[in-house]
Amino acid sequence: MKRASFVTFSSSSKHYSSHYGIRSISLPTRSHPSTAKIEEELNKLKSWDWEASSSPTPSSKVETISYALSGLADLYKCVEDLLKLPLTQQALLGLHHQNEKWVDDELLDCPVRFLDILGQTRDAIMSMKGGVRELQSALRRRKVGDLGMESHISSYWSLRRKMRKECTKSLLLLKQIDESFGAFTPLDLDHHLSSVVRVLREASLITTSIFQSLVVFLSPPIFKSRHNNSSSYSSKWAFVSRVMQKGLLVCNNQQENINELEKVDLALSRMVMDNNNNNNNPSKDLEAEKIQAAHKELEAVVVVIEGLENGLDCLFKHLINTRVSFLNILSP
């Protein structure tokens, strides 16, 4: 059997579509019947208006991410069905015999890399969920006028920093995955195999883009100063000042979008300011109001985390099945 050759795509052959920034693949666009369902799911995701309005709210953004995760699960369910077809299995096995390294690197290993990132992200938000629950419990035990919440709040912000660090690592990995696609494409493919390769690539590209949006959402900036051992009190106040400044912008109805995690930062910062402002003794009613506000924002974060967690769990299952399907086809 003739060994398939490769063609290199120039940068001008790549373009971005929709709000996801999905590169289209320069392969035949006429759909094979067996790939039509996958293309339908891809079009749903690519046509979804990521910018829900000219000035999207954070709540609309997290709803869109949850929708996208659900859509990815449906997409990979269709990929599983495609990989079960004898015609697809025979075509991929033949391509693997001709170009084993390319198939392994671009098709077989991709679900594994997504599973690694998904698992790390899921672990991070589960840890965050546990930290939020602990903070909620501490707030419920606190009585108006009591101090001693700073250690619990510091632990929460430590979790935020840890999750942000993990998300930064995931973004770098996603960038590497994204850059690895489209450098080469086998020639001499029959129509069905061309369609299979195209939809698998498109599925991977849109998965990368949605994962990027997810980890960016989970890692908004944390407004903190550099720690200075000789002036920890000043450092604390510099941190609070920065966060409170952002909160004031929001209160003044300026165009400042903050998500649920940032809203918790603001609510907790107001509590820290009350505890450390020796020149201001707020009334018990005001203090109780700020505790209640923190409770409200923390509960909103729990709802967000649980929604994302459910979406990731479902997607994880279908990515596992996709990986297994590939192995069943290509492993001797």
Side-chain angles (χ1 to χ4, degrees):
M1 184 179 294
K2 182 171 64 174
R3 184 181 182 88
S5 58
F6 289 86
V7 59
T8 302
F9 284 90
S10 66
S11 58
S12 61
S13 68
K14 299 176 182 179
H15 66 275
Y16 287 79
S17 62
S18 186
H19 294 288
Y20 284 114
I22 303 301
R23 294 199 301 269
S24 65
I25 305 301
S26 300
L27 288 172
T29 58
R30 188 160 57 92
S31 300
H32 188 280
S34 61
T35 62
K37 181 60 178 175
I38 295 179
E39 293 188 348
E40 179 182 340
E41 296 299 330
L42 283 167
N43 289 333
K44 286 180 183 179
L45 289 170
K46 287 192 282 187
S47 64
W48 182 262
D49 191 356
W50 186 258
E51 303 294 340
S53 67
S54 59
S55 180
T57 63
S59 60
S60 67
K61 187 152 292 187
V62 71
E63 288 172 0
T64 303
I65 293 173
S66 296
Y67 167 88
L69 292 175
S70 176
L72 279 181
D74 293 338
L75 173 65
Y76 280 98
K77 176 62 174 65
C78 294
V79 171
E80 294 171 41
D81 295 337
L82 175 65
L83 295 177
K84 291 176 183 177
L85 295 176
L87 179 63
T88 301
Q89 295 176 358
Q90 182 179 4
L92 286 176
L93 186 59
L95 180 61
H96 189 246
H97 287 158
Q98 297 174 46
N99 300 284
E100 180 175 349
K101 185 179 186 305
W102 180 82
V103 173
D104 288 347
D105 290 346
E106 183 156 331
L107 301 183
L108 187 60
D109 289 346
C110 202
V112 177
R113 290 183 284 178
F114 287 143
L115 283 168
D116 288 342
I117 295 172
L118 191 154
Q120 292 167 7
T121 303
R122 189 172 60 168
D123 289 346
I125 66 173
M126 288 177 65
S127 178
M128 174 60 68
K129 180 181 175 181
V132 169
R133 290 301 195 193
E134 290 180 7
L135 186 52
Q136 286 180 306
S137 178
L139 282 173
R140 282 192 293 268
R141 295 193 304 268
R142 177 185 176 179
K143 297 180 181 179
V144 174
D146 289 345
L147 303 178
M149 280 299 301
E150 287 188 28
S151 61
H152 297 287
I153 294 174
S154 295
S155 295
Y156 170 80
W157 276 325
S158 293
L159 280 175
R160 283 270 280 114
R161 287 193 295 270
K162 181 178 180 182
M163 184 164 71
R164 182 171 167 80
K165 183 178 180 180
E166 291 300 319
C167 287
T168 299
K169 293 178 182 178
S170 295
L171 282 174
L172 291 174
L173 291 174
L174 288 167
K175 182 179 179 182
Q176 292 175 2
I177 295 173
D178 185 67
E179 291 175 347
S180 69
F181 284 107
F184 302 100
T185 297
L187 298 176
D188 303 325
L189 303 181
D190 62 35
H191 179 63
H192 177 65
L193 190 52
S194 294
S195 298
V196 170
V197 170
R198 175 169 52 83
V199 296
L200 290 177
R201 276 185 163 184
E202 292 282 0
S204 295
L205 287 169
I206 203 165
T207 301
T208 300
S209 184
I210 292 171
F211 277 15
Q212 287 173 345
S213 297
L214 171 63
V215 296
V216 167
F217 177 84
L218 291 172
S219 56
I222 302 173
F223 295 88
K224 64 184 182 66
S225 65
R226 295 183 178 89
H227 292 290
N228 187 330
N229 293 332
S230 63
S231 57
S232 58
Y233 183 81
S234 297
S235 296
K236 183 191 303 177
W237 267 99
F239 165 67
V240 172
S241 177
R242 287 172 182 239
V243 180
M244 289 301 295
Q245 183 180 14
K246 186 169 187 180
L248 290 173
L249 290 176
V250 176
C251 293
N252 289 333
N253 294 321
Q254 297 195 21
Q255 296 300 317
E256 183 79 21
N257 282 325
I258 63 173
N259 70 21
E260 286 78 0
L261 292 169
E262 291 172 300
K263 289 178 181 178
V264 170
D265 287 348
L266 292 176
L268 297 178
S269 296
R270 293 187 179 104
M271 292 179 60
V272 172
M273 177 171 282
D274 286 345
N275 288 343
N276 292 281
N277 190 348
N278 294 326
N279 298 320
N280 181 26
N281 294 313
S283 68
K284 290 186 177 182
D285 288 342
L286 181 57
E287 185 179 355
E289 180 182 332
K290 291 186 177 180
I291 293 174
Q292 184 61 36
H295 269 300
K296 178 182 177 182
E297 301 301 349
L298 286 167
E299 191 58 40
V301 166
V302 171
V303 172
V304 167
I305 289 176
E306 288 180 345
L308 296 176
E309 189 178 357
N310 291 336
L312 290 172
D313 286 344
C314 185
L315 178 56
F316 189 86
K317 178 184 71 174
H318 288 298
L319 280 172
I320 286 286
N321 292 340
T322 298
R323 167 67 174 173
V324 170
S325 296
F326 271 120
L327 287 175
N328 289 339
I329 296 171
L330 304 177
S331 297

